[in-house]
């Protein structure tokens, strides 16, 4: 059971962005200017630390995965939800790599079932 999945459409855009920018990463925004958007950066451009939680590595159908991070404080609110990174038409957040593509990443969420909750790995 993974905490984060990616739709085929989002994976396709991520492969395109990786071809242009190199290895990628996501940090799930906690609000403020960009709402609660998954922000896509060149890997290492957004510095993570002890205040962040590594949720998963997305398999986008090629040789490299895309790590997904979230602030520990936000994770305390979202830990009971499964996240899916999707893509929809529209303008992305100003700091996220997809901004000029005519698409934006979007996080869809749902509560875990009891069985899924019990199968989840512990996040430290």
């Amino acid at each position: 059971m993974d905490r984060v999945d990616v739709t085929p459409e989002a994976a396709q855009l991520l492969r395109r962005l990786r071809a242009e920018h190199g290895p990628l990463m996501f940090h799930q925004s906690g609000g403020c200017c960009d709402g609660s958007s998954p922000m896509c950066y060149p890997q290492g451009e957004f510095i993570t630390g002890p205040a962040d939680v590594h949720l998963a590595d997305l398999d986008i159908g090629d040789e490299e995965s895309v790590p997904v991070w979230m602030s520990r404080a936000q994770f305390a609110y979202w830990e009971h939800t499964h996240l899916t990174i999707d893509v929809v038409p529209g303008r992305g957040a100003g700091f996220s790599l997809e901004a000029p593509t005519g698409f934006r990443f979007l996080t869809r969420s749902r509560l875990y079932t009891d069985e899924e909750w019990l199968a989840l790995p512990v996040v430290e």
Side-chain angles (χ1 to χ4, degrees):
M1 180 77 218
D2 290 322
R3 291 188 173 274
V4 185
D5 285 322
V6 62
T7 66
E9 296 80 11
Q12 181 179 7
L13 180 54
L14 285 166
R15 289 190 299 273
R16 181 176 142 199
L17 291 171
R18 183 187 331 234
E20 186 176 339
H21 300 282
L24 304 172
M25 67 179 287
F26 274 109
H27 192 277
Q28 177 63 47
S29 173
C32 183
C33 305
D34 296 310
S36 188
S37 300
M39 304 291 285
C40 184
Y41 300 100
Q43 195 163 23
E45 186 174 298
F46 186 96
I47 305 300
T48 58
D52 297 293
V53 174
H54 177 229
L55 297 177
D57 291 316
L58 300 177
D59 178 357
I60 62 168
D62 62 10
E63 69 283 348
E64 293 183 45
S65 60
V66 178
V68 180
W69 295 83
M70 176 184 285
S71 76
R72 191 170 296 282
Q74 185 174 359
F75 180 72
Y77 292 107
W78 285 32
E79 70 178 316
H80 296 91
T81 59
H82 179 269
L83 307 177
T84 300
I85 295 180
D86 198 357
V87 65
V88 295
R91 188 171 188 302
F95 299 113
S96 193
L97 287 177
E98 84 282 5
T101 68
F103 295 94
R104 66 183 182 91
F105 288 114
L106 166 76
T107 300
R108 300 185 188 279
S109 63
R110 66 170 176 81
L111 291 175
Y112 289 113
T113 66
D114 291 341
E115 294 79 21
E116 289 172 330
W117 177 251
L118 292 173
L120 283 171
V122 174
V123 172
E124 298 183 30

